[in-house]
Amino acid sequence: MANHTIINSFLLMSFSDVWELQILHAVLFSLIYLAALMGNLLIILVTTMDHHLHTPMYFFLRHLSFIDLCYISVTVPKSILISLTQSNSISIPECAIQVCFVLSFVCAELALLTVMSYDRYAAICCPLHYDTLMNRETCAQMAAASWVSGSLSGIMHTVSTFSVPFCKAGLGQFFCEVPHLLKLSCSQPNFAEIGTTITTTILGLGCFFYIVISYVYIFSTVLRMPSTGGRSKAFFTCLPHLVVTSVFFTTAFVAHIKPTSDTPSVLDLLVSVFYVVVPPTLNPAIYSLRNKDMKAALTKLVKQVFSCL
């Protein structure tokens, strides 16, 4: 360790060295962030205020929107600030907090999407027992388990990643990401983080296969329905969750299957943007545009707002 210089802050990567492009990035990210903020807040507001949406599906959707709201708020505002101030330094404690929150929200969303797939399975494959299977207490326990499991995963990754000193400062990413942080560590490999990553990956794959199996049962049940209208209603009830789950897993897979390079490129940044920004921004649109109950509730809310003006 005597030959290493221990650093106490990192340098995040900016999208460009050109001032005009930095301003463009700040404007685009601000618009995307506002869209995600408004979309997720609207879903939380509508599903809370409209008593017709006080069902397990919308209860979990409200939690999903809150997770997405927090998830995008951890990374995007900091990136906007970097472009505006041209100061890309981030302290190790601030970086550790960012890592903890990002991974906590990602793992909590994965757990919640798994719970939501069970909700759709119970609604379509076991309709007569749905009210018993998905009562209020059970839903609250499932949501709490998603938050607790996500928080534990985030804490475990943060502790294992920052348990060793760092000897390099250039992070090569616009937010603190574990694979890039491991390349800056003085001691490589970091066996604690490797063990944590393997455990989390196994649990993540378990969630993924559970969702796949759930939808195999769901589609087999839907295809056996005698009524065309019943099949269409059941399919379109599951479609938003299926699309959101596909977007989440696709972006996560693309972001993590790509090896981290020693000389980060614009492509690396775009892949990370795809992973961090796309799901929280698209999810409200997916659930609103393909859901008649959500559109009706939104229309009702807009009319109430205008009537009060």
Side-chain angles (χ1 to χ4, degrees), residues 160-231:
S160 58
T161 300
F162 289 87
S163 61
V164 296
F166 297 93
C167 300
K168 300 176 184 177
L171 196 55
Q173 186 56 276
F174 76 96
F175 68 101
C176 290
E177 192 177 32
V178 171
H180 289 270
L181 286 168
L182 294 179
K183 296 177 72 68
L184 308 181
S185 171
C186 294
S187 60
Q188 296 184 3
N190 185 335
F191 292 106
E193 175 55 24
I194 290 173
T196 304
T197 301
I198 291 173
T199 303
T200 307
T201 302
I202 292 172
L203 293 175
L205 288 174
C207 291
F208 173 75
F209 286 120
Y210 181 87
I211 293 172
V212 171
I213 293 171
S214 297
Y215 272 99
V216 169
Y217 280 104
I218 288 171
F219 287 137
S220 63
T221 302
V222 170
L223 293 175
R224 290 198 302 268
M225 290 180 177
S227 169
T228 305
R231 287 197 299 268

Side-chain angles (χ1 to χ4, degrees), residues 149-170:
S149 61
S151 300
L152 288 176
S153 298
I155 292 171
M156 287 170 58
H157 277 285
T158 304
V159 170
S160 58
T161 300
F162 289 87
S163 61
V164 296
F166 297 93
C167 300
K168 300 176 184 177

Side-chain angles (χ1 to χ4, degrees), residues 13-16 21 24-25 28-29 32 71 76 79 172-175 177 180 247 250-256 258-259 261 263-279:
M13 187 176 180
S14 60
F15 278 77
S16 175
L21 293 178
L24 178 62
H25 158 256
L28 288 176
F29 259 40
I32 292 171
Y71 177 35
V76 170
S79 181
Q173 186 56 276
F174 76 96
F175 68 101
E177 192 177 32
H180 289 270
V247 170
T250 301
T251 54
F253 178 78
V254 170
H256 288 91
K258 179 187 66 61
S261 58
T263 55
S265 63
V266 176
L267 179 62
D268 295 326
L269 288 175
L270 291 178
V271 170
S272 299
V273 169
F274 189 65
Y275 167 54
V276 172
V277 176
V278 170

Side-chain angles (χ1 to χ4, degrees), residues 7 41 49 62 70 81 102 105 110-111 120 126 140 187 212 264 288 302:
I7 54 97
L41 282 175
M49 293 182 62
R62 185 159 59 247
C70 297
L81 187 64
V102 167
F105 294 134
L110 173 59
R120 292 300 83 208
C126 311
S187 60
V212 171
S288 300
V302 170

Side-chain angles (χ1 to χ4, degrees), residues 281-298:
T281 307
L282 281 186
N283 288 357
I286 293 170
Y287 271 103
S288 300
L289 295 177
R290 301 299 306 179
N291 191 305
K292 292 181 180 179
D293 293 334
M294 282 294 300
K295 288 191 285 187
L298 282 170

